[in-house]
Amino acid sequence: MAEQTAPPESTGMTGAISAGPPGTPPRKPDTAVIRDALGVGIAVGLSGFAFGVTATGSGLSLLQICALSLLVFTGASQFALVGALAAGGNPYTAAAGAFFLGVRNAFYGLRLSQLLALPRAVRPFAAHWVIDETTAVTVAQPDRRSARLGFTVTGLTLYVLWNLTTLMGAMGAEALGDTEAWGLDAASPAVFLALLAPMLRSTPERVTAGLAVLLTLTMLPVLPPGVPVLLSALAAPVVLFLMGRRKQGPGTAVRGETTEKGGRDS
C-alpha cells in the first residue's frame, strides 16, 4: 500500500505568500514590486534633465522639447535626434536615426502583450509606455499580476519624472545661456553611456558595442551628422556572423573527423 504523506503544517507566519500550485513560483509581494519599479523610474526619470539641457543646446524651443518628451517618450531616440541636430545634421537624417532606435520598442511590445494581456481598450495607452525600463521590470516578475503592477508603476513614475525634469532642464539651460560654455553639451552622451554600460554583461554585447563605437568614430569625419549612428547598427550582424562562423568551425571539423574515421573503420 502506498505510503500517505501528511499535509505540511502551517508555519503560522502572518502575511506569508502562498506558493500556489506545484511547479509555479511564489507570488512576489506587491511592496517589493513597487519598490523595484520606483527605483528604476526615479533613477532613469531624473536623466530627463540632461535631455532638456541638450535639446536646448541643439536649438529647439521649450515647446518643442516638452512635446518630444510627452509624445515620443523614448530616451535613446530623443537623445539621438537632438544630438544629430546639434551637430548640424539634416532633420530627416536625425529623425531616421531616432526612428530606427525606437523600432526596438515594437519588439518589446510583442513580448509584453503576452505577459500583460491587457484589455483591448487599454492597449493603445499602454503602448506609449513600452520602453527599455518598463520592459525590464515587467519581464522580471513571476506572475501576471506582479507584471501589470510593475509595468504601471514604472511607466507612471518614469513618464511624470521624465517630463518634469525635461522641463526643468530646458528652462535651466535657457537661463544659463550657452550650454557649450558650461560643458553641458556633454550631458547627453554621458547619461547615455551610464545607462548603457551596466547592460553590457556578455562578451558578444561588449564586442558589438565596441565595434559600433569604432564604426561611428571612423565614419564621423566623412559622413553627414546622424549617418554614422545609422551605420553603427551594422555592428550587430557582423558580430553575429563571426560568432556563427566560430561555433561552426570546431563542430564541423569534429564531425568531419568522426565521419572520416568511421569510414576508415568500416
Side-chain angles (χ1 to χ4, degrees), residues 112-119 123 144 148:
L112 294 188
S113 64
Q114 300 175 355
L115 292 176
L116 299 175
L118 296 173
R123 292 176 187 175
R144 178 164 294 165
R148 288 181 173 180

Side-chain angles (χ1 to χ4, degrees), residues 212-223:
V213 171
L214 181 61
L215 287 173
T216 303
L217 294 178
T218 303
M219 299 298 177
L220 198 59
V222 297
L223 294 177

